[in-house]
Amino acid sequence: MSDLPKLSRFNDNVLSKYQIYNSIFTTLPFDTIDNTGVLLPLLHKVCEKGFALGKNPTEIIEHFFKKYQENPTEQEKTDLLFKFIQYIERQVVLFDAIEDAAFPAVNNMDGVGTLRGSKESATLNNKKEELKAYLEDFKVRVVLTAHPTQFYPGSVLGIITDLDEAIQRDDLLLIKKLLAQLGKTPFYKKTKPTPFDEAVSLVWYLEHVFYHSVPKIYNYIQNNIYDGNPMDNEIIDLGFWPGGDRDGNPFVTTEITLNVAERLRQSVLRNYYRDVRRLKRRFTFDGVQEILARIEKRLYKHVVRSYSKVNFSQKILLEELSAAREIISTKHQSLFIEELDDFINKVRIFGFHFATLDIRQDSRVHHAAFTQIVKDLQSIGDTTFPKNYNNLSEEDKVEALSLIKGSIDPSKLTEKISVDTIESMYALKEIQKRNGERGANRYIISNNQTALNVMQTFAMLNLCGFENELPVDVIPLFETVEDLINAEDVMRTLYANRAYRYHLEKRKNKQTIMLGFSDGTKDGGYLMANWGIFKAKEALTKVSREFDIEVIFFDGRGGPPARGGGKTHAFYASLGPTIEDKEIQLTIQGQTISSNFGTKASSQYNLEQLLSSGIKNDIFTKDQLNDKHRELMEDLAANSYQTYVDFKKHPKFLPYLEKMSTLKYYAKTNIGSRPSKRSNSATLDFSALRAIPFVGSWSQLKQNVPGFFGVGTALKKYEDEGKFDEIVDFYNASDFFRTLLENSMMSLTKSFFGLTAYMSEDPEFGAFWNIIHDEYKTTKRLLLKLAGHTELMENFPVGKASIEMREQIVLPLLTIQQFALKQIQELQKNEGNEKELEIYEKMVMRSLFGNINASRNSA
């Protein structure tokens, strides 16, 4: 089977099986309307044929009812459309489960980009010692975030897992039952999830996937690269945002932060408890059984929250296990020792925290909270801050804040914003006490613009009574094009500050800096965001090396290429020596979690790909841009940026999103706990609009603007000047440039302008729609010309086939959504249509889910 081409394996294991299981699914009798499953394929054909003939979604839906229903009432029409939505949602789940089940068969688990592949390359090139030395320091940190791009309820995740296993065994009877269960299980959440609910959803992945896949990778490295010797480096770290990410989420309270940290602790200890019970069946030897019984008893106590006394830790547990190992090794011929080693490695990797809970807040909130703290303390005669603090220059404020130390009492503060901010910092102390320092030791400042933003946070943390040194990394997040340009000066100021420099010395001379791909793209367009981040990384690497600081870049990456996603491993493998790469840190969100890390096999494969991308960049290749390439990239980014900025300034830009897209429905989906914008303003303000609903709305329109707009115009300039060969040479020579444009091609592949072609005739938005469509056509034509291809993604046939199948599944869903949007526009022209409006708005909202979930192969 593995000798067949990858596309053949995909066709046999995914597409063929989908056709079989879908035919079973569509005949299951689980709804109140007869023949929904029979009618859906007919609607699909009508959609395909209708769009091919240039029909609009309203004409297509009306034609369907005319052809296949006998004088249906309006109620019968809407009922059937809602049933179609339910069916398609579940077809997407079925396809997910089949793709998950086929993952090991379709992907070569020992091939290029895997650890076995890297080890064999190193051995062949006499670089095994170099690889070993590299892995002593190198880490990958995957940070799970609850950004609302896809969230199956826990019940649906369980069905996907069971389906995956049943499909692997070809257990037709069980598959049939599970499909029937799927049909009866609700997807839609009647209420918004709390941040704690989101955390519980993601802990599912930690327990069922990462707890197994991460140690497997660690064990392989230890046994095959370190020849069985112990390693000091965990190699893979896990991070966690739900419950700690306060940025724009008023529902994240200190209580929720503490509850999430406790849930993480209990979850990992519960897994340890299960493992120890299993180990007791193996180690029935004198001396060892007593140790394991003692561990079992202590773990049981600590899994329960009521056992509040903290007298058990990762250190104590490892000491006990080490003593057991010594007895097995010296007295029992190392019998079953590999099973104990596996458990010891789990405890080393996951500690008592499972994943590090990051705290994040916006610099503007910090500034307001901090200003109030200064005011409150000065009003009661407290001398923590100089009396003239508010009149100092920014430079002098930075200096003054570096000296701040103390233990502030939150009850002395008068404003909620200050109390909440300080209490969230005290929560770090509490979590570290229960879960260990790795439980929560990072504070991220989003929308960071100045050194003062960092020092305000640094000062507030130092007011929280941490003994001795501050055991917290302060992490600025640079997002907009302007902030990326200023990032080097901000860090230079901080590195030059004696107190901050001393803090970094105590943190092993490492500084983590986060860069926001998602908001960067929203602000500056696709090419400028990626090039801006690349240049910022180079500048930040240079200034950090100047001060003997090892900078670690933490990338805020989304699912689709428009939010920094795309082919992530290829991106990291292409960065070259001018960018520090001792660690790869990135956020994983929404559908990327389920697509890349949803099963043990896909998780192991994709974590290995990330590890190998760092190895490839550092040991095997040094892809460096030359001066000519930089000049070209600078010019392309500048032209693309200007095109995108002009587009954003178009008077119809925001009205188009408001009236013609699904933007306002994101807030109503109950898919995530965060509001869809940062302000409570009734009018749409671009700066307050979150990147997720922004990118998601373009995706629902199948226009994917943030993933390509401006790219075509930038390339066309070179074509018009007869210099296109220069771009072709650049594309062929640079992994970085090629990966960037291949990700843009993925955005184009997922576009379908036939869906909204009717908008070209719209009296208000027709001209604006044509601007988007023209840029799409230009970008597609020139990217194909550049790559020498006749079709988009033709060099990634499996990814292309998966996207095509998913797009095919949701075609009727997209059509229904556009039909409902058009009905809403018509109904809004007159008053008294509130009841009908409510029905169609619900239809738009419900159709969001299937479309979002179907896009999961976007990273």
Side-chain angles (χ1 to χ4, degrees):
M1 178 66 75
S2 60
D3 295 335
L4 289 170
K6 192 172 180 180
L7 183 60
S8 299
R9 299 200 301 270
F10 179 82
N11 290 337
D12 291 346
N13 290 278
V14 180
L15 295 188
S16 299
K17 284 190 176 180
Y18 176 74
Q19 303 300 346
I20 295 163
Y21 296 139
N22 185 49
S23 64
I24 296 168
F25 178 61
T26 52
T27 57
L28 290 174
F30 56 68
D31 63 39
T32 52
I33 295 177
D34 291 336
N35 297 328
T36 309
V38 177
L39 289 168
L40 183 54
L42 299 174
L43 174 61
H44 197 283
K45 283 272 180 275
V46 170
C47 290
E48 280 187 331
K49 199 171 175 185
F51 285 122
L53 293 169
K55 304 277 187 198
N56 66 46
T58 306
E59 290 168 332
I60 289 168
I61 297 293
E62 285 173 352
H63 176 68
F64 168 78
F65 282 118
K66 194 174 175 182
K67 189 170 181 180
Y68 294 109
Q69 298 280 280
E70 206 173 313
N71 301 320
T73 63
E74 289 304 311
Q75 175 78 45
E76 286 169 339
K77 284 182 184 177
T78 53
D79 283 352
L80 185 57
L81 292 176
F82 275 114
K83 282 297 170 191
F84 283 152
I85 290 170
Q86 286 180 292
Y87 252 84
I88 296 164
E89 277 180 336
R90 286 153 179 79
Q91 284 179 316
V92 171
V93 171
L94 175 59
F95 193 78
D96 283 353
I98 292 167
E99 213 168 34
D100 286 347
F103 193 92
V106 173
N107 296 278
N108 186 350
M109 300 297 284
D110 296 323
V112 176
T114 64
L115 280 172
R116 188 182 293 274
S118 295
K119 182 211 162 210
E120 285 172 4
S121 291
T123 307
L124 284 170
N125 292 287
N126 294 319
K127 289 190 171 184
K128 191 177 171 188
E129 288 306 310
E130 212 178 317
L131 176 60
K132 211 164 154 182
Y134 180 70
L135 287 170
E136 278 170 18
D137 294 320
F138 182 65
K139 280 183 196 287
V140 166
R141 181 185 290 254
V142 168
V143 180
L144 305 183
T145 79
H147 291 342
T149 53
Q150 179 232 29
F151 254 78
Y152 287 130
S155 53
V156 176
L157 282 175
I159 295 170
I160 293 175
T161 305
D162 293 344
L163 262 176
D164 169 352
E165 291 169 5
I167 289 164
Q168 285 189 57
R169 296 195 308 270
D170 279 325
D171 186 341
L172 204 57
L173 189 63
L174 181 57
I175 290 165
K176 200 170 177 179
K177 284 182 175 178
L178 288 167
L179 290 175
Q181 182 191 358
L182 189 64
K184 291 175 178 291
T185 303
F187 280 38
Y188 180 63
K189 296 170 183 171
K190 291 187 172 67
T191 55
K192 257 181 147 15
T194 66
F196 186 76
D197 295 333
E198 290 174 331
V200 170
S201 290
L202 285 193
V203 169
W204 187 94
Y205 288 100
L206 292 177
E207 288 199 80
H208 293 89
V209 180
F210 289 100
Y211 186 75
H212 305 281
S213 62
V214 173
K216 197 170 177 185
I217 293 169
Y218 186 92
N219 295 343
Y220 179 85
I221 292 170
Q222 187 177 51
N223 294 328
N224 294 280
I225 296 171
Y226 282 81
D227 304 316
N229 296 314
M231 301 182 290
D232 286 336
N233 181 14
E234 296 86 21
I235 294 179
I236 297 170
D237 281 331
L238 298 177
F240 204 78
W241 273 20
D245 182 9
R246 305 171 77 89
D247 177 18
N249 194 339
F251 308 112
V252 178
T253 62
T254 301
E255 184 186 9
I256 278 182
T257 301
L258 291 169
N259 286 343
V260 169
E262 190 62 27
R263 181 64 174 244
L264 286 164
R265 179 176 178 273
Q266 286 175 19
S267 298
V268 77
L269 295 185
R270 190 163 53 243
N271 277 289
Y272 292 167
Y273 176 71
R274 288 191 200 111
D275 278 356
V276 167
R277 285 179 68 99
R278 275 194 289 270
L279 288 172
K280 277 178 73 185
R281 291 178 64 180
R282 289 277 180 263
F283 299 108
T284 49
F285 323 138
D286 277 349
V288 181
Q289 200 168 43
E290 290 80 356
I291 293 172
L292 292 177
R294 193 160 62 239
I295 291 171
E296 181 190 11
K297 193 176 173 184
R298 294 189 80 171
L299 283 169
Y300 181 76
K301 280 183 179 178
H302 283 268
V303 165
V304 184
R305 174 97 196 230
S306 58
Y307 195 79
S308 56
K309 190 178 177 188
V310 182
N311 61 358
F312 195 30
S313 65
Q314 179 192 23
K315 184 171 178 285
I316 293 167
L317 179 53
L318 284 173
E319 282 168 359
E320 292 269 45
L321 292 171
S322 179
R325 191 185 192 282
E326 180 66 21
I327 296 168
I328 296 161
S329 170
T330 55
K331 296 184 179 176
H332 302 290
Q333 293 80 46
S334 297
L335 192 60
F336 294 123
I337 202 162
E338 65 284 349
E339 292 187 35
L340 182 66
D341 284 344
D342 175 61
F343 182 58
I344 289 170
N345 287 342
K346 283 175 177 171
V347 177
R348 279 187 186 142
I349 295 162
F350 301 120
F352 272 39
H353 66 288
F354 218 160
T356 301
L357 184 63
D358 290 347
I359 309 290
R360 180 173 81 130
Q361 185 55 285
D362 191 290
S363 65
R364 292 163 290 197
V365 174
H366 279 167
H367 181 72
F370 184 80
T371 304
Q372 190 60 43
I373 288 168
V374 174
K375 192 176 171 185
D376 285 346
L377 292 183
Q378 289 183 340
S379 71
I380 56 171
D382 188 293
T383 57
T384 301
F385 295 96
K387 276 185 180 174
N388 66 337
Y389 175 78
N390 289 324
N391 299 322
L392 296 175
S393 67
E394 186 160 318
E395 200 177 319
D396 289 339
K397 280 180 179 173
V398 166
E399 198 54 45
L401 293 180
S402 67
L403 307 171
I404 301 298
K405 268 278 193 196
S407 192
I408 194 170
D409 180 356
S411 67
K412 298 270 171 66
L413 304 174
T414 59
E415 294 287 336
K416 187 176 185 299
I417 195 170
S418 306
V419 174
D420 288 349
T421 303
I422 289 296
E423 282 185 346
S424 74
M425 294 176 174
Y426 271 112
L428 286 166
K429 272 180 81 174
E430 178 63 25
I431 294 165
Q432 289 192 3
K433 199 162 73 178
R434 290 185 68 77
N435 297 19
E437 195 208 291
R438 284 167 68 206
N441 60 2
R442 290 151 52 99
Y443 199 106
I444 298 156
I445 311 152
S446 51
N447 191 50
N448 197 96
Q449 297 177 335
T450 63
L452 185 60
N453 291 154
V454 177
M455 292 307 289
Q456 285 174 339
T457 308
F458 184 61
M460 286 190 284
L461 284 162
N462 277 318
L463 280 173
C464 290
F466 282 100
E467 290 162 25
N468 305 319
E469 313 310 331
L470 178 65
V472 179
D473 294 326
V474 185
I475 303 175
L477 164 52
F478 301 104
E479 297 176 88
T480 66
V481 172
E482 191 181 345
D483 291 345
L484 289 166
I485 292 166
N486 297 333
E488 180 188 1
D489 290 342
V490 169
M491 296 317 298
R492 184 176 291 281
T493 302
L494 293 170
Y495 292 156
N497 182 280
R498 272 189 304 177
Y500 191 78
R501 186 72 182 78
Y502 176 75
H503 166 67
L504 289 181
E505 276 174 32
K506 299 298 172 187
R507 304 298 293 164
K508 299 183 181 174
N509 281 315
K510 292 183 178 186
Q511 170 68 55
T512 304
I513 297 172
M514 189 172 178
L515 301 158
F517 283 78
S518 198
D519 280 285
T521 304
K522 174 181 160 250
D523 180 57
Y526 182 71
L527 281 185
M528 178 56 93
N530 281 277
W531 180 234
I533 286 170
F534 186 93
K535 287 194 299 179
K537 282 186 174 181
E538 286 193 317
L540 291 165
T541 297
K542 194 174 172 212
V543 71
S544 300
R545 286 174 179 170
E546 195 182 310
F547 283 87
D548 289 325
I549 302 292
E550 184 186 308
V551 67
I552 296 161
F553 294 115
F554 175 22
D555 292 332
R557 303 181 77 89
R563 295 206 341 273
K567 298 174 185 67
T568 311
H569 350 96
F571 174 83
Y572 285 112
S574 72
L575 290 180
T578 54
I579 290 174
E580 198 71 75
D581 64 347
K582 282 283 172 62
E583 291 193 26
I584 289 175
Q585 297 192 6
L586 70 161
T587 56
I588 303 287
Q589 50 189 264
Q591 70 269 47
T592 317
I593 297 172
S594 60
S595 62
N596 284 13
F597 303 94
T599 66
K600 292 170 198 171
S602 64
S603 171
Q604 181 190 335
Y605 181 82
N606 283 298
L607 285 169
E608 287 192 19
Q609 292 284 326
L610 281 171
L611 278 167
S612 298
S613 66
I615 293 165
K616 180 175 182 245
N617 187 32
D618 198 78
I619 295 175
F620 296 119
T621 56
K622 296 283 183 188
D623 181 47
Q624 193 165 1
L625 298 177
N626 61 35
D627 291 344
K628 176 66 179 170
H629 293 163
R630 286 176 177 279
E631 204 180 295
L632 288 170
M633 194 66 225
E634 193 69 49
D635 189 53
L636 287 165
N639 283 313
S640 170
Y641 178 63
Q642 194 54 55
T643 306
Y644 181 74
V645 168
D646 290 346
F647 175 63
K648 276 199 311 184
K649 285 179 181 170
H650 193 289
K652 293 299 175 192
F653 182 82
L654 286 177
Y656 181 79
L657 276 177
E658 260 189 311
K659 291 181 186 175
M660 307 301 276
S661 84
T662 57
L663 182 67
K664 66 181 179 184
Y665 299 97
Y666 265 80
K668 301 176 183 179
T669 55
N670 295 329
I671 200 170
S673 70
R674 271 199 326 181
S676 60
K677 53 182 184 173
R678 286 183 170 90
S679 72
N680 295 319
S681 164
T683 55
L684 185 59
D685 170 15
F686 184 75
S687 63
L689 181 61
R690 293 199 171 281
I692 288 162
F694 174 71
V695 172
S697 297
W698 291 113
S699 171
Q700 296 279 327
L701 284 167
K702 303 313 289 177
Q703 292 175 0
N704 293 326
V705 159
F708 72 83
F709 201 93
V711 176
T713 298
L715 292 172
K716 191 170 184 300
K717 178 194 166 197
Y718 283 82
E719 185 184 51
D720 292 346
E721 292 173 359
K723 296 179 181 174
F724 200 71
D725 284 352
E726 292 180 17
I727 306 295
V728 174
D729 291 344
F730 182 21
Y731 179 84
N732 291 328
S734 166
D735 286 349
F736 169 74
F737 186 51
R738 188 166 54 255
T739 302
L740 206 57
L741 294 188
E742 281 172 351
N743 283 338
S744 191
M745 285 185 207
M746 189 189 286
S747 286
L748 294 170
T749 305
K750 292 185 174 188
S751 299
F752 173 48
F753 278 82
L755 181 72
T756 56
Y758 71 92
M759 293 182 189
S760 65
E761 306 295 324
D762 188 271
E764 186 180 355
F765 296 109
F768 185 75
W769 185 91
N770 282 310
I771 290 171
I772 302 168
H773 189 224
D774 288 346
E775 184 66 17
Y776 163 79
K777 286 191 294 185
T778 302
T779 308
K780 182 179 175 180
R781 179 178 67 80
L782 290 173
L783 285 180
L784 288 174
K785 181 179 178 180
L786 181 57
H789 294 165
T790 53
E791 288 183 334
L792 292 167
M793 289 184 73
E794 69 178 49
N795 53 333
F796 296 100
V798 171
K800 181 175 164 33
S802 178
I803 288 170
E804 282 173 358
M805 191 62 207
R806 288 171 178 278
E807 297 294 312
Q808 203 180 332
I809 292 168
V810 296
L811 182 65
L813 193 59
L814 292 162
T815 311
I816 291 168
Q817 186 183 84
Q818 284 298 318
F819 164 75
L821 283 167
K822 194 68 185 153
Q823 294 297 107
I824 290 165
Q825 289 166 22
E826 292 302 317
L827 289 165
Q828 283 172 338
K829 289 176 182 175
N830 301 301
E831 289 184 6
N833 295 320
E834 285 73 20
K835 199 176 175 186
E836 292 97 321
L837 270 170
E838 196 181 323
I839 290 166
Y840 286 112
E841 286 189 339
K842 188 181 175 188
M843 198 176 284
V844 171
M845 191 177 67
R846 287 299 312 278
S847 61
L848 281 168
F849 289 91
N851 292 331
I852 290 168
N853 294 340
S855 301
R856 78 169 193 159
N857 56 358
S858 53

